[in-house]
Amino acid sequence: MVLKTYVARYKGGDKLFRALRFYGGDLSSQRFKGFINFMAKNEDFLDFSQVRPLWDYAQNQGIVSFKGRTLDNFLEGMENWHQDLAKNVNVKYEDWEGSGLGGYEEIRNEDNIETLYKIEEILNSVDLKREGKEMRHCVYSYVSRCRGGGTSIWTMKKVNEISKNNLLTIEIRGQDIVQVRGKCNRMAKDVEKKLIRAWAKKEGLKINLGSF
């Protein structure tokens, strides 16, 4: 049974379906069905950009039942988890093989300032932890996925004579870009989307992000 049928069963709309398209696991799992049901019930109050981070939180914490939860306390629990990840200073250094994909660089003139945008792969646990702390999200919990080779994590940075900033964290599975997040899980801005599209074209990647 396709994902859209499951979402419709729980009276979820098209926006929720698009927000759940990242999922590649067993559609019949009790955790995922419970999650869809919970999201559908709270759809009128939902920031759809938070659906994937909330699922990551549920998986990491072993949450199976969503009964008795409210959207507010679910979001609060996720934020507390992100803070705990950022506070954890005991990081074991691990590195892993690269995905074999190339990065991307583009120079733009912005307000008469030469600005370099670059996309680079993260290849060790310390840099992954630093990315999660800087961006205030849960990417550090992806260490085992990166080590296993099923997932690669990339960072987009903006560098000029004034500052150097992390803009986005990007998740790739195989040849598919499946997640793009800014600080505190914000969505990509228009200029950032253009850069990702150019990179995807260069490397033969598919952008699997719904209405990206």
Side-chain angles (χ1 to χ4, degrees):
M1 189 178 293
V2 297
L3 175 61
K4 196 164 190 174
T5 303
Y6 269 103
V7 174
R9 174 185 291 178
Y10 294 109
K11 297 181 170 56
D14 192 56
K15 287 184 179 179
L16 179 59
F17 163 66
R18 291 200 300 271
L20 289 165
R21 286 178 61 187
F22 67 85
Y23 185 71
D26 180 7
L27 290 173
S28 65
S29 80
Q30 291 303 310
R31 175 182 292 155
F32 190 62
K33 288 194 292 186
F35 183 76
I36 295 174
N37 188 30
F38 181 83
M39 293 291 106
K41 286 180 177 178
N42 290 279
E43 193 167 6
D44 289 344
F45 313 100
L46 190 60
D47 175 354
F48 292 97
S49 70
Q50 298 300 310
V51 171
R52 174 64 185 271
L54 284 168
W55 172 249
D56 286 343
Y57 167 62
Q59 277 195 304
N60 184 273
Q61 300 298 299
I63 297 170
V64 177
S65 173
F66 299 87
K67 291 181 179 179
R69 296 180 184 275
T70 66
L71 182 59
D72 283 344
N73 68 34
F74 199 20
L75 287 164
E76 183 180 1
M78 180 185 71
E79 182 58 31
N80 289 338
W81 175 52
H82 289 169
Q83 291 175 7
D84 288 344
L85 285 171
K87 290 175 184 175
N88 178 15
V89 295
N90 298 316
V91 179
K92 177 184 176 182
Y93 182 86
E94 300 178 76
D95 57 19
W96 44 83
E97 293 291 329
S99 63
L101 298 169
Y104 185 78
E105 293 189 357
E106 184 173 317
I107 296 173
R108 290 178 166 236
N109 189 295
E110 299 180 343
D111 298 323
N112 294 318
I113 298 174
E114 190 174 88
T115 298
L116 170 66
Y117 288 88
K118 58 181 180 179
I119 301 173
E120 301 173 314
E121 187 171 4
I122 297 176
L123 295 172
N124 67 72
S125 57
V126 172
D127 288 345
L128 197 64
K129 174 63 183 294
R130 187 180 294 116
E131 179 79 2
K133 185 174 183 179
E134 171 72 20
M135 302 297 276
R136 296 177 61 191
H137 55 42
C138 69
V139 74
Y140 180 61
S141 67
Y142 283 47
V143 167
S144 62
R145 303 184 202 183
C146 293
R147 189 175 59 239
T151 292
S152 62
I153 301 295
W154 300 71
T155 180
M156 178 189 287
K157 300 180 187 297
K158 176 182 178 180
V159 183
N160 57 38
E161 62 187 30
I162 297 172
S163 64
K164 177 179 179 180
N165 297 304
N166 289 33
L167 299 179
L168 297 174
T169 310
I170 304 159
E171 178 188 357
I172 295 179
R173 285 195 297 229
Q175 293 290 118
D176 289 0
I177 298 174
V178 297
Q179 188 170 196
V180 174
R181 297 288 170 178
K183 187 168 286 189
C184 298
N185 287 307
R186 73 163 174 82
M187 305 304 283
K189 299 176 181 178
D190 287 344
V191 65
E192 296 164 347
K193 289 180 179 180
K194 289 179 181 177
L195 293 164
I196 289 174
R197 290 189 191 107
W199 175 47
K201 183 177 180 180
K202 170 180 170 284
E203 294 298 319
L205 299 170
K206 179 182 178 183
I207 301 176
N208 191 6
L209 294 168
S211 58
F212 186 86

